[in-house]
Amino acid sequence: MSFTLTNTNKGVLCIVHNHFKYRHQRVMARRDISWRCTVRQCNSTIHTNSKISNILTENENISHNHNIVKNRDIQRQIVRNNCKQKATECIMERPNKTIRRELMVVETIELLHDDNV
């Protein structure tokens, strides 16, 4: 099962799996990690191993009660978080330069010029 590791807008590690985002919930007794959907009203969870290298179980009994996260929104969040990180590392660099550099790195340009990054 494939997934992507990224950060939320607040800098917390999260997983994107099947177009849904999951946040770290807790570490289980067997050292597996439980992840919960980032939408508060949703009870869907997944479990990964302690190294976060693969998904062990997915709670199939509970379905998501909300829409999927679009690829465009995920790409925008990744660019935004990378820009924030670069801005804290290189405080002397112009923000416009940082943003342009990060936009050039994005593999699939699904972002439009009128999106707020």
Side-chain angles (χ1 to χ4, degrees):
M1 294 183 220
S2 65
F3 63 90
T4 305
L5 281 174
T6 184
N7 290 324
T8 63
N9 292 334
K10 294 183 179 180
V12 179
L13 188 65
C14 73
I15 290 178
V16 179
H17 175 62
N18 290 340
H19 299 287
F20 293 107
K21 291 194 309 185
Y22 297 89
R23 62 178 168 81
H24 180 271
Q25 183 179 15
R26 65 180 169 193
V27 177
M28 308 299 281
R30 297 182 321 211
R31 303 303 239 185
D32 297 339
I33 300 174
S34 176
W35 301 81
R36 185 180 171 125
C37 184
T38 56
V39 176
R40 289 184 183 245
Q41 292 80 19
C42 184
N43 293 326
S44 183
T45 60
I46 59 173
H47 296 269
T48 63
N49 61 353
S50 60
K51 296 180 182 178
I52 314 174
S53 60
N54 61 354
I55 294 177
L56 302 174
T57 61
E58 188 171 355
N59 195 344
E60 297 172 358
N61 297 334
I62 301 174
S63 63
H64 292 272
N65 56 4
H66 55 90
N67 295 332
I68 64 172
V69 179
K70 298 177 185 174
N71 281 337
R72 186 177 128 205
D73 294 337
I74 295 168
Q75 287 291 330
R76 184 172 53 203
Q77 183 175 0
I78 291 171
V79 169
R80 181 185 307 130
N81 290 333
N82 288 344
C83 287
K84 285 181 185 179
Q85 182 180 3
K86 299 283 189 205
T88 57
E89 292 173 356
C90 306
I91 59 173
M92 298 302 287
E93 189 173 287
R94 294 188 331 256
N96 193 17
K97 186 175 182 180
T98 303
I99 293 170
R100 286 181 187 220
R101 183 181 311 130
E102 287 303 318
L103 285 174
M104 291 179 74
V105 172
V106 176
E107 298 158 357
T108 58
I109 300 288
E110 294 180 5
L111 301 174
L112 301 173
H113 69 285
D114 61 339
D115 279 345
N116 293 328
V117 175

